[in-house]
Amino acid sequence: MRLLAARPLARVGLALHRLGVSADAVTLAGFALTLLAAFLIARGSLQGGGLLLLISLPLDALDGAVARAAQRDSRFGGVLDSTLDRYADAAMFAALVYYFASLGQREHLALALLALIGSYGVSYVRARAGEAGIELREGLFTRLERVLVLLLALLIPGLLLPGLWLLALGSNLTALQRLWLVYRQEP
């Protein structure tokens, strides 16, 4: 998907740069839309939240295109983007936890928490591997797959619980998979 979107993103990124829009502003706009999506989900508007999440996704890729167009590889921008990705993940799952709590569905609430834990596990292992000098992008459920599954689960009635099961299992297994990949690189 990244290869297919690279050229259009580069064109839009260049246009935004020429308009004076910074990569950090694009990151913040995407995050704001995600927070609004989470609010809608918490209120029970799963499809409305899913649509806003869908609208926010191009911004998650566009910030890098704007930075490349500006020829500005900012370490802060990279850290800001990764940090807000974690907060966005937390907001989406927290919204689902709130939604299930309001319905008194504790089992579903626990499932959303397991998906959140797995999501953080995937990112944490990657970050710690990076600190150890190991570049780690492999995994069954990278952020792209997790977001796509969450999107489908929100947009298509009847897929919410199967999607959460897939996220809970897939993300936690991916964290373990990544941990195993790091272990295998030990001398």
Side-chain angles (χ1 to χ4, degrees), residues 41-159:
I41 291 164
R43 304 276 311 202
S45 179
L46 303 180
Q47 289 177 319
L51 284 172
L52 266 181
L53 180 61
L54 181 64
I55 292 168
S56 77
L57 286 180
L59 295 176
D60 196 30
L62 192 55
D63 55 3
V66 173
R68 285 186 292 281
Q71 297 178 346
R72 185 169 172 248
D73 187 18
S74 162
R75 285 189 285 197
F76 172 75
V79 172
L80 176 68
D81 185 43
S82 293
T83 301
L84 292 184
D85 283 349
R86 300 298 74 73
Y87 275 104
D89 291 346
M92 298 307 291
F93 289 113
L96 286 168
V97 165
Y98 183 89
Y99 170 71
F100 290 130
S102 70
L103 298 175
Q105 298 175 340
R106 290 188 184 122
E107 297 83 11
H108 301 149
L109 181 153
L111 193 57
L113 285 173
L114 284 173
L116 173 63
I117 291 166
S119 179
Y120 271 76
V122 171
S123 299
Y124 184 77
V125 173
R126 179 178 176 194
R128 293 294 295 170
E131 289 174 15
I134 301 169
E135 179 70 24
L136 190 60
R137 293 189 177 269
E138 297 87 354
L140 299 171
F141 263 69
T142 64
R143 185 160 196 273
L144 176 63
E145 289 85 11
R146 292 191 314 268
V147 170
L148 289 176
V149 168
L150 181 59
L151 225 117
L152 290 173
L154 292 169
L155 291 174
I156 301 172
L159 287 186

Side-chain angles (χ1 to χ4, degrees), residues 12-22 65-66 69-71:
V12 174
L14 182 59
L16 288 174
H17 167 65
R18 287 180 176 160
L19 290 172
V21 177
S22 73
V66 173
Q71 297 178 346

Side-chain angles (χ1 to χ4, degrees), residues 23-54:
D24 293 346
V26 174
T27 300
L28 291 168
F31 180 63
L33 280 177
T34 303
L35 290 180
L36 187 54
F39 175 77
L40 290 177
I41 291 164
R43 304 276 311 202
S45 179
L46 303 180
Q47 289 177 319
L51 284 172
L52 266 181
L53 180 61
L54 181 64

